[in-house]
Amino acid sequence: MKLSYLLSQQYLIPDLKSVTRNDAFNELLDLLNLQNETISREEVFSALLQREEEQTTGIGKNIAFPHARFTNLKKMHIAMGISKAGIDFNSLDHQLVHYIFLILVNYGKPNELLKTRAAIGKLLMHKSAKRRFLSSSSAQELNDI
């Protein structure tokens, strides 16, 4: 699965302004078009916070996969943000997060989340890709990577 099939340029932020996890959630949610969905932005934000309370989505190596599952979601939604300064996600390795992939999926399609995370993880295994992400200055540059 190619990440470019899942994540279009309009859902990319090359330089998040947020300094906290919750602010990053809001900044990324601003990108998503949930108008055709039966869930509200507030429900999504609450679900993201609840997931973080269960266990951090900061998986280590400066990466976070905040996500939420909904029974009535029509399609998967994904947004990516790069924090040049880093954001505290209480990550498993205690490092700041620079690469945030916010993902919303339908409960009925659990493999969607797994395949998406695998595609992202495969890309981020390459240190050169991570460096290029951090040095990017536009959504177009992120998209090209």
Side-chain angles (χ1 to χ4, degrees), residues 54-112:
E54 292 170 11
Q55 182 178 358
T56 181
T57 58
I59 62 166
K61 298 191 184 229
N62 310 110
I63 303 166
F65 286 110
H67 60 279
R69 299 171 195 242
F70 299 91
T71 56
N72 52 351
L73 199 65
K74 294 177 184 171
K75 67 173 195 146
M76 180 173 67
H77 297 271
I78 180 170
M80 173 190 176
I82 304 297
S83 171
K84 309 244 190 245
I87 296 173
D88 185 1
F89 263 73
N90 196 28
S91 294
L92 298 174
D93 64 357
H94 308 289
Q95 299 296 311
L96 295 177
V97 166
H98 295 283
Y99 315 95
I100 304 170
F101 297 86
L102 190 147
I103 306 169
L104 309 178
V105 295
N106 186 300
Y107 263 120
K109 299 181 180 179
N111 288 340
E112 242 181 1

Side-chain angles (χ1 to χ4, degrees), residues 115-135:
K115 287 179 181 179
T116 301
R117 286 180 59 168
I120 294 167
K122 185 176 180 180
L123 175 65
L124 293 177
M125 284 175 36
H126 302 284
K127 290 181 181 181
S128 63
K130 288 174 83 171
R131 280 192 301 272
R132 289 175 62 204
F133 276 144
L134 266 184
S135 66

Side-chain angles (χ1 to χ4, degrees), residues 5-51:
Y5 296 141
L6 302 172
L7 193 58
S8 65
Q9 186 173 324
Q10 67 194 36
Y11 303 117
L12 306 173
I13 301 177
D15 191 8
L16 286 166
K17 303 300 178 223
S18 303
V19 295
T20 68
R21 180 196 67 199
N22 292 2
D23 288 344
F25 289 168
N26 278 315
E27 196 171 344
L28 290 167
L29 285 173
D30 285 344
L31 298 180
L32 298 180
N33 180 4
L34 301 176
Q35 292 174 344
N36 295 326
E37 298 288 358
T38 58
I39 57 172
S40 70
R41 179 191 170 99
E42 292 75 24
E43 288 174 289
V44 172
F45 187 79
S46 178
L48 291 169
L49 292 181
Q50 183 177 358
R51 174 62 181 88

